[in-house]
Structure formats: C-alpha cells, structure tokens
Amino acid sequence: MSHIVFFLVPGVHLLDLAGPAQVFSTATDFGHPYTLSYVAERPQVPTAQGLPLVAGPDWPGLGPEDLIVVPGWRTGIPAGEPAIGPASLRALRDHHARGGTVASVCAGVEALGRAGLLDGRRCTTHHDVQDELALRYPDAVVVPDVLFTVDDRVITSAGIASGIDLALHLVATRHGPAVAARVAREMVVHTRRNGHEPQASAMLRHRCHLDDTVHRAQNLIDARFDQPLPLPALASAVGVSERTLTRLFSRATGLTPLRYQQTLRLERAQHLISHGATVDTAARSVGFEDARMLRRLRARAA
C-alpha cells in the first residue's frame, strides 16, 4: 500500500486537491489500495472557493513508494506568499532525498521551487504563471504548454484539472494503463491525456460532449490516427450506420470523422516538425501517403 500525502497551503484550489485524491481513492476501490492523508501548517485551511478544510500538522512516516502532492493555490498574491515554513519545505526535500516522489499541481510548483527541488529539472505549471516561475527559479527548466512533466521523481502539472492527468499517469505507471483507463472511465474522464500533450490539444478541444457513440469512435481514431480508417469500418466498429456516425460526429465535434483524424495527424506532424523532422518525414510518420496533404493542412491552419 502506498501513502499519498497532500500538503495543503492556505488558498488551495479545491479541484487541485480533489482531482488527484479522487483518482487514488477510485484506484483503491478497484483493489489497488492507497492511504490518503492531509497535512497543513494550521488545523483549518481556507480554500480559494471558500470551503474551509481540516488537516493535521504532523507528517506521517513515508517511504520510497510514497508520494507527496502539493495542490495549487490562488495566484495573484504578492511574491513569496503564502508563507510556507522551513519545516514543511524540509519535509518535501527530505522525502525526495530518501527516494520518494514529490508532485505539484498548478501553483503548487512554487513549494517545490522553494524546497530546491526544481533546480536543473524540467517542470511546468499553469500557463498564466509559467513566465513568473521561470523568473523566480532560473535554474529550473520550465516546459511551457504541456500537461505535466516527470523528472527524477519530481512531477509537476499544469493548471487545475491536469492534476487528474498527473494522478492517472502515476496509477498507469504503478498498475498498468488498463487500471488507469478503468479509473478514468469510473470518473467519467473520457480521455486520459499524456503529459506531452499541449494544454489545449485537438483531442481535448473536440471531447467536450457526452455522446458515447462518438467517444467510442474517437477512441478508435485516437489510437490509430496514423492508419487508414475507412468510414464503413469505423461505423461498424461502433455499431451504427455510416450516415448516422457522420451525423452524430459532426453534431458533437463540429468535424467529420475524417477531418478529426486529419486534425490529429496535423497536430502530431507539427510536433515532429518542431523537433527537427522534415515535412516529408513527419507526413509519413502520421500516415499521409505523401507530404502534399500535410502541406495543404498546414497552410489551411496557418
């Protein structure tokens, strides 16, 4: 059994805390037990949403398999606030030094920075405060526009809901992707996002609906976007006619299935090109038979 300790700071955002806690709680329900604890420097912790929380002042004994999570708090306050005492920062630092994992959600990365855990490591945070983070911790490697980063048992995530992605990643790492997918389904999180994905990826932009048939079709396209996916085969796989699938898909996402697949291919190709791939290589990697289609899509998106 692993111990998950949430270190709560005044002004904590409820979803920064509740999202990861729900992931580990649901994993426990499925036979992968976690013990959840809540530690703070004061017994009652005010939250950004006005609901006070109660936490204990004492840190439990932790081992290498255990995790400390620092949820984010409301930003826009003077630099250096809220105050975090040296004993708490030492607890973060010592846990990592003993082989444990330390994670942050959103502005919680500030606590990791003050503990000296960001120096020389990749990290991220909410897009509104990425520049400030880079200025405050020049030895940190701030990675913009990603959902979460993992570097030497220091895990940092972007804004608010990305804490769920971070926690699902940890569950997948420890128990396999099937368990993480089961937890995600139980939480009605239709898409388990990977850390390298932009904070507003094409996949997520078109997942804000509740049509289960379309989600199942999107699951197939997401998994095989670089392969031919004829509409008849796709419709058959989700149990509807081609005409019905096209109608449902367009109503839910604003795109046809083919256009959705092309959007995924384009996004992946842009990522490859940004990392040094040629247009021809990127086109082949994402499933285009030649680069002309990719060039047309890039010109259309410009």
Side-chain angles (χ1 to χ4, degrees), residues 1-299:
M1 179 183 297
S2 295
H3 205 143
I4 312 294
V5 178
F6 293 91
F7 175 58
L8 306 183
V9 173
V12 60
H13 279 295
L14 288 173
L15 187 54
D16 283 24
L17 165 64
Q22 183 66 54
V23 169
F24 293 115
S25 174
T26 303
T28 299
D29 293 340
F30 291 151
H32 303 281
Y34 288 92
T35 297
L36 307 186
S37 297
Y38 305 88
V39 172
E41 294 180 337
R42 61 181 75 175
Q44 190 172 84
V45 183
T47 68
Q49 287 71 37
L51 176 69
L53 303 175
V54 175
D58 299 323
W59 289 87
L62 298 175
E65 294 299 316
D66 300 325
L67 168 70
I68 298 175
V69 180
V70 186
W73 54 81
R74 188 185 294 279
T75 56
I77 52 182
E81 296 294 337
I84 301 176
S88 299
L89 298 178
R90 185 167 57 250
L92 299 176
R93 194 164 46 244
D94 288 351
H95 177 59
H96 184 266
R98 291 193 297 265
T101 300
V102 179
S104 66
V105 181
C106 197
V109 72
E110 170 71 16
L112 276 56
R114 294 187 202 178
L117 293 172
L118 300 183
D119 293 350
R121 295 191 174 100
R122 299 169 71 251
C123 61
T124 194
T125 186
H126 193 282
H127 51 76
D128 283 349
V129 292
Q130 288 172 351
D131 291 342
E132 181 181 346
L133 179 68
L135 288 173
R136 289 173 60 80
Y137 301 100
D139 292 333
V141 182
V142 179
V143 183
D145 201 26
V146 295
L147 290 170
F148 60 86
T149 63
V150 181
D151 191 338
D152 186 25
R153 293 176 286 104
V154 174
I155 307 176
T156 59
S157 71
I160 305 180
S162 63
I164 297 175
D165 303 290
L166 179 155
L168 287 171
H169 164 77
L170 289 169
V171 170
T173 301
R174 297 185 178 197
H175 309 296
V179 174
R182 188 182 181 194
V183 172
R185 284 196 299 273
E186 184 68 14
M187 293 177 60
V188 201
V189 178
H190 290 285
T191 303
R192 188 169 67 79
R193 304 180 290 180
N194 293 321
H196 65 271
E197 289 169 354
Q199 293 180 18
S201 72
M203 185 185 297
L204 298 175
R205 286 199 302 272
H206 302 293
R207 283 282 190 167
C208 301
H209 62 84
L210 296 175
D211 191 310
D212 186 61
T213 299
V214 176
H215 276 302
R216 285 188 283 119
Q218 287 181 285
N219 288 342
L220 293 171
I221 299 172
D222 293 347
R224 298 162 52 192
F225 71 91
D226 57 348
Q227 302 173 26
L229 285 172
L231 182 61
L234 191 61
S236 177
V238 298
V240 297
S241 69
E242 298 171 43
R243 182 176 180 180
T244 297
L245 177 59
T246 300
R247 177 174 56 81
L248 294 177
F249 207 104
S250 299
R251 185 176 65 188
T253 69
L255 303 173
T256 65
L258 175 60
R259 186 64 184 275
Y260 177 69
Q261 183 183 25
Q262 288 178 338
T263 301
L264 295 182
R265 287 183 173 187
L266 173 62
E267 188 171 79
R268 177 60 180 165
Q270 298 283 46
H271 171 80
L272 295 173
I273 292 168
S274 71
H275 285 70
T278 65
V279 172
D280 287 348
T281 299
R284 287 194 298 272
S285 296
V286 300
F288 291 120
E289 292 184 357
D290 62 56
R292 286 176 292 183
M293 175 58 79
L294 177 57
R295 290 193 174 94
R296 282 199 293 271
L297 292 174
R298 293 186 76 200

